[in-house]
Amino acid sequence: QVQLVESGGGLVQPGGSLRLSCTASGSIFSLLTMGWHRQAPGKQRELVATVTNGGLTNYADSVKGRFTISRDNAKNTVNLQMNSLKPEDTAVYYCGADIYTTIAGKTTYWGQGTQVTVSS
């Protein structure tokens, strides 16, 4: 009933930029914290960045100063602007959101993931 759809992944060269977007749809009463996690092959999934419904942001140390998370509440969308990309940023990036619905209450939803590859 609630769906998160990501877009913007792809192949970029080191030092390049990429912008990921994630849009939530369905029976949403309120979007709470939204964010991005990533998982590289053979590694644990890690938090990249989050933004609360109040606009507070949190970033992994590895992406501070390079990535910017933002949200557009009118569009139920969270974005991740990734600059100065490094090969170690290569991973599948997953959009996640804490969403309150009248039926299920507060539930964490995840997108299908989008591949980001940073390579020359």
Side-chain angles (χ1 to χ4, degrees), residues 61-81:
D61 288 340
S62 60
V63 307
K64 287 181 179 178
R66 299 188 298 120
F67 291 10
T68 302
I69 189 169
S70 62
R71 62 190 291 163
D72 186 336
N73 291 326
K75 298 180 179 179
N76 289 343
T77 296
V78 61
N79 303 303
L80 185 68
Q81 178 65 46

Side-chain angles (χ1 to χ4, degrees), residues 6-18:
E6 300 128 324
S7 64
L11 174 65
V12 296
Q13 293 190 343
S17 297
L18 205 61

Side-chain angles (χ1 to χ4, degrees), residues 7 32 34 38-39 56 67 74 76 78 85 88-89 93-95 98 108:
S7 64
L32 305 176
M34 305 182 74
R38 67 186 182 186
Q39 186 168 23
L56 298 178
F67 291 10
N76 289 343
V78 61
L85 284 162
E88 49 263 45
D89 294 319
Y93 284 69
Y94 296 91
C95 174
D98 292 334
T108 300

Side-chain angles (χ1 to χ4, degrees), residues 2-3 8 12 14 16 18 23-25 27 30 37 43-45 60-61 73-75 77-78 87 94 101 106 109 111:
V2 175
Q3 184 179 17
V12 296
L18 205 61
T23 299
S25 62
S27 301
S30 180
H37 292 67
K43 297 182 179 179
Q44 298 292 111
R45 185 176 297 193
D61 288 340
N73 291 326
K75 298 180 179 179
T77 296
V78 61
Y94 296 91
T101 68
K106 182 183 177 182
Y109 295 88

